[in-house]
Amino acid sequence: MVTPAAGRQVAVDPKDGGRWTSLWLAGREWLWAGPGLLSGPRTGDELFTDAGGLDECFPTVRGTPDHGGLWNQPWDNSVTYGDATLTRAFTAGTDTVVVDYRLQAPPGYRFIWAAHALLDCAVGAFVWAPVGTECRLYPEAASLLPDPWPVEAPWVADAWPTRLDLTTYGPSDGTAVGGVLVDCPTVSVRDRGAELTLTLSCPGQPVSTAVWRNLAGFPDGTPYRSLGVEPMLGRVFDLATAGPDDAAVVPASGELTWRLTLSAASI
């Protein structure tokens, strides 16, 4: 069942991890509907598949559990995972949606969170981020880089737009590459005469944006195309590989809040 939130701008599926199924701004739909939507909500007995829309990834993106532990959990404005409870509230404006999050968890609780948004974009869509921003590339990019991948390295650093030029959502070439734009709170996507801007704010915590460019390179056997732009708390995909400063940490109060703002306009 899909229920509306924030007026007409957003629709969510409370039975499937609170996944956003629609984001309607500037007169168009921004969220991609993936193959998983055809079979209904996912269950806890299957591996994660991209159902499209926007998933709330917590307490990790990659790793265990893959795409976090919320995607198959029922959500009623809040959801509990272990010792942590995450609550969100939507506020709608003109071609703008603001989402306020509150996490209650034990002091010192470390986590990665991402608004895993898969966007409905055409070939030629452009991803904007400040030139020179550090971008951590992951092993799926190894065969596309000129240098050998460092032994046992979870990621390598490059500068945006990177040697792979991740700015453009090009034609299908059988590749799928993910990266994390470190300490980058704002990214924009320009597609078919409109621009979507995603901004994350959480003072005192590592705020980044992940990018996933799948040009029919994932998954094996039944690949499809998808473009992910994912505001995140943290600097890595996998909590298990996070250094001391790479994960968000709940303060002594036992509560952490952050705000995600999405706005769109014709260009």
Side-chain angles (χ1 to χ4, degrees):
M1 175 181 179
V2 176
T3 59
R8 297 178 57 188
Q9 287 90 333
V10 180
V12 302
D13 187 342
K15 294 184 178 180
D16 190 17
R19 178 168 51 88
W20 308 21
T21 57
S22 177
L23 176 64
W24 186 271
L25 297 173
R28 59 160 286 178
E29 176 60 55
W30 285 97
L31 295 182
W32 171 75
L37 286 176
L38 302 177
S39 58
R42 298 157 291 181
T43 72
D45 298 326
E46 61 186 305
L47 295 175
F48 181 91
T49 57
D50 282 328
L54 186 155
D55 282 284
E56 306 275 359
C57 293
F58 173 89
T60 189
V61 180
R62 297 186 182 182
T64 304
D66 186 27
H67 284 65
L70 303 185
W71 56 264
N72 61 340
Q73 304 300 317
W75 185 306
D76 183 14
N77 296 322
S78 65
V79 63
T80 296
Y81 181 83
D83 294 333
T85 297
L86 181 62
T87 303
R88 71 183 177 195
F90 292 89
T91 303
T94 301
D95 290 326
T96 300
V97 172
V98 175
V99 194
D100 288 301
Y101 291 86
R102 184 181 70 212
L103 178 68
Q104 296 169 297
Y109 184 96
R110 284 167 52 86
F111 67 96
I112 304 292
W113 167 88
H116 183 273
L118 295 176
L119 303 180
D120 181 12
C121 291
V123 172
F126 182 81
V127 180
W128 177 91
V131 172
T133 299
E134 178 184 335
C135 184
R136 295 178 175 178
L137 298 173
Y138 282 75
E140 62 267 15
S143 64
L144 306 175
L145 295 172
D147 304 319
W149 192 265
V151 176
E152 298 184 355
W155 48 265
V156 297
D158 207 344
W160 186 261
T162 83
R163 288 167 286 178
L164 306 178
D165 189 6
L166 295 179
T167 61
T168 302
Y169 187 50
S172 298
D173 62 7
T175 65
V177 179
V180 175
L181 287 155
V182 175
D183 299 334
C184 180
T186 299
V187 168
S188 295
V189 180
R190 299 164 186 167
D191 175 63
R192 290 171 289 178
E195 181 176 63
L196 176 70
T197 300
L198 307 93
T199 299
L200 181 63
S201 176
C202 187
Q205 300 290 336
V207 173
S208 303
T209 304
V211 176
W212 169 249
R213 190 183 69 181
N214 177 17
L215 303 178
F218 174 87
D220 292 339
T222 55
Y224 47 79
R225 293 174 55 85
S226 56
L227 176 63
V229 177
E230 309 164 23
M232 66 187 299
L233 293 180
R235 297 187 174 104
V236 293
F237 280 124
D238 190 347
L239 180 61
T241 67
D245 299 322
D246 288 340
V249 181
V250 174
S253 64
E255 182 174 292
L256 182 67
T257 61
W258 62 92
R259 171 170 285 185
L260 175 63
T261 302
L262 306 98
S263 59
S266 299
I267 54 174

